[in-house]
Amino acid sequence: MGFESDETFSQEKDDTPNMQSLVPPSDGFREGGYGWVCVACTFLMNAHTWGINAYLNETQAYGVFLAFYLSSDIFPGTSSLEYAFVGGLSISCAMLIAPLATYLCHRLSHRFVLNVGTLLEALSLIASSFVKANWQLFLSQGACFGFGMGLCFCGSVGITSHWFKKRRSLVNGIASSGSGIGGLVYSLAVGKMIPEFGFPWAMRTLGILCFVINLTCANLLRIPSYSAIAAKASPFRLSIILRLDYLLLLGWAFLSALGYVVLLFSLPSFSIAIGLTQQQGSLASALLNLGQAIGRPAVGLLSDHYGRVHVALIASLLTGILSLVLWTFVESLGLTYFFSIAVGLFAGTLLAAAAPLAAEVVGLQDLGTALGMLWFILCPPTTVAEAIALQLRGSSTESKSYLRVQLFVGFMYIGSALCLAFLWFELRRKRTLALS
């Protein structure tokens, strides 16, 4: 029923002579091997990029960082909307640099891109401990961290796909679950570090940890030699963006990103709005991260067995339904926690499924270009998503002050599911034509 992991019906012919000689036949492909080291390294890098960013966004929304900034009055006149743009800026900068990161991986090496990204991210966290003005915060915790995260992410996200075929979605799910684990661990650990060591040293410690772990992983990651040669020989084609199946993939990613960032940003403050404490709101966010850590590998495993497009479609649809049917009625602690972990199982499918789905649509040889353009397209929605969430909120006197936010998240995910439904029909049509 589902599409298999080979790309025989979706991959365009390559114009480069002798390209097929660079890729071993399918019966000679060795699944895994050193690829499992790459899975572990990508997992850790996701924990120390997206996982750290999830923690930063959570605390910027309502918690430790915002309380510190306001109580110390180091940024007089800075509004909560401006703080929201710091989190959005980091994600949008990561997306903005994606085409450059992809090009540098293609022309130079993944290792170069990963090492530069590691350096920028560590510098941004350490520099954040010295900020004295809001523009410095935007540059350090926003732009610099985002560029570093983007280089690390774009340099590592496609590597595991070169080592696996049958379990490609599973290993990408395992690797991407690192962001959920990282967000969970650091939301608890740094929350304890700030009272013990103070905000500046907590940030410096975080920067040092990220530097050591990401630097180690960056220099352990590599792709198989035949894939590396093929990547160097294949052209950097932007023409794939004109293909209908790829445009549908971009539509799914665009709408998913809008819904995901708004959900991630809004859940902790929603918890406080319905009467929970700040600590309970933080735990709700931690449970969302836990749900992602469990859900991404599970979605990957199911994708390898039942079809990557099918499972991603169902995950997107379930996220939308949970937001519209369950979240809109949440008013108690228990239901908040249940929703957090339930929606976490499916909401973060984008980061886990993007690489396998892109390989399904364009093939491995164009995977780098496809992913680079996909992440770049996500720059606008990730820039404005948190600001949209703030503007959609009603006043604190309204009984359903988050209703518009909840409806927005639900409809974005349902729209993304529709894009995948059309993508499934398009891939099926192309497969039928290839077999006829």
Side-chain angles (χ1 to χ4, degrees):
M1 181 178 178
F3 291 103
E4 298 301 324
S5 59
D6 60 38
E7 293 84 23
T8 55
F9 65 93
S10 61
Q11 186 173 350
E12 296 177 327
K13 277 189 174 182
D14 196 282
D15 299 327
T16 307
N18 301 321
M19 180 62 68
Q20 296 299 324
S21 65
L22 300 175
V23 183
S26 58
D27 56 357
F29 183 88
R30 291 192 299 174
E31 183 93 357
Y34 190 81
W36 288 108
V37 176
C38 296
V39 172
C41 290
T42 309
F43 174 94
L44 289 172
M45 292 199 79
N46 281 328
H48 293 84
T49 50
W50 290 107
I52 297 295
N53 188 70
Y55 167 72
L56 294 178
N57 279 345
E58 173 197 331
T59 49
Q60 283 162 359
Y62 71 97
V64 179
F65 285 172
L66 184 55
F68 170 79
Y69 296 148
L70 295 178
S71 62
S72 59
D73 198 31
I74 58 175
F75 307 134
T78 304
S79 66
S80 58
L81 182 61
E82 290 175 299
Y83 284 118
F85 270 114
V86 177
L89 182 62
S90 64
I91 301 176
S92 62
C93 284
M95 303 297 100
L96 182 64
I97 205 171
L100 176 61
T102 304
Y103 180 81
L104 291 176
C105 288
H106 180 78
R107 290 298 179 188
L108 299 176
S109 69
H110 287 81
R111 185 167 296 176
F112 172 80
V113 172
L114 291 170
N115 282 314
V116 172
T118 296
L119 182 62
L120 285 176
E121 185 180 339
L123 286 175
S124 74
L125 292 170
I126 294 173
S128 295
S129 67
F130 296 101
V131 293
K132 298 298 181 183
N134 56 7
W135 64 268
Q136 296 172 349
L137 181 69
F138 296 149
L139 288 178
S140 62
Q141 205 163 295
C144 187
F145 184 89
F147 287 137
M149 178 171 69
L151 290 172
C152 288
F153 177 64
C154 294
S156 63
V157 66
I159 290 180
T160 55
S161 295
H162 290 272
W163 292 94
F164 297 88
K165 286 186 178 179
K166 294 181 180 179
R167 290 172 286 190
R168 182 174 293 158
S169 293
L170 171 62
V171 297
N172 275 278
I174 293 172
S176 65
S177 70
S179 61
I181 295 294
L184 176 63
V185 170
Y186 284 110
S187 65
L188 300 175
V190 182
K192 295 290 185 182
M193 289 167 59
I194 290 178
E196 292 290 330
F197 307 116
F199 171 79
W201 275 108
M203 294 301 294
R204 292 163 197 163
T205 303
L206 200 60
I208 294 169
L209 281 172
C210 287
F211 180 76
V212 172
I213 293 174
N214 286 345
L215 186 68
T216 302
C217 294
N219 289 282
L220 287 175
L221 281 170
R222 62 181 177 88
I223 60 177
S225 57
Y226 60 83
S227 289
I229 296 171
K232 292 286 185 182
S234 62
F236 190 78
R237 285 194 290 256
L238 296 181
S239 59
I240 60 171
I241 200 171
L242 301 177
R243 294 170 45 174
L244 176 59
D245 51 2
Y246 184 66
L247 288 174
L248 290 169
L249 181 69
L250 293 182
W252 162 74
F254 187 96
L255 296 175
S256 294
L258 265 177
Y260 177 71
V261 177
V262 170
L263 172 65
L264 197 68
F265 179 77
S266 300
L267 186 60
S269 50
F270 163 80
S271 303
I272 294 176
I274 63 172
L276 304 185
T277 66
Q278 182 172 306
Q279 185 176 6
Q280 289 169 334
S282 179
L283 184 55
S285 181
L287 289 174
L288 176 66
N289 284 315
L290 177 61
Q292 293 187 79
I294 298 171
R296 287 175 179 175
V299 167
L301 180 63
L302 292 172
S303 296
D304 288 329
H305 286 280
Y306 299 107
R308 288 160 187 148
V309 179
H310 292 96
V311 175
L313 188 159
I314 293 171
S316 298
L317 186 61
L318 285 175
T319 306
I321 292 173
L322 284 170
S323 299
L324 295 175
V325 177
L326 179 58
W327 193 15
T328 52
F329 296 100
V330 170
E331 293 181 351
S332 64
L333 176 65
L335 204 53
T336 300
Y337 287 170
F338 175 77
F339 171 76
S340 298
I341 196 165
V343 79
L345 294 173
F346 310 108
T349 301
L350 172 61
L351 292 180
L357 282 178
E360 194 94 356
V361 171
V362 304
L364 280 179
Q365 290 174 15
D366 286 324
L367 179 60
T369 304
L371 286 176
M373 293 305 300
L374 185 148
W375 303 130
F376 179 72
I377 293 297
L378 299 189
C379 182
T382 53
T383 301
V384 301
E386 295 188 9
I388 289 174
L390 283 175
Q391 295 303 308
L392 287 175
R393 293 179 193 173
S395 66
S396 57
T397 58
E398 295 181 30
S399 59
K400 290 284 188 179
S401 59
Y402 277 77
L403 181 60
R404 289 189 293 271
V405 176
Q406 295 158 339
L407 294 176
F408 180 84
V409 172
F411 287 131
M412 289 302 102
Y413 272 103
I414 288 176
S416 70
L418 288 175
C419 289
L420 287 181
F422 287 118
L423 175 61
W424 182 81
F425 282 113
E426 176 64 12
L427 291 180
R428 185 179 182 183
R429 183 188 68 83
K430 294 180 74 171
R431 186 181 190 184
T432 302
L433 289 175
L435 294 176
S436 62

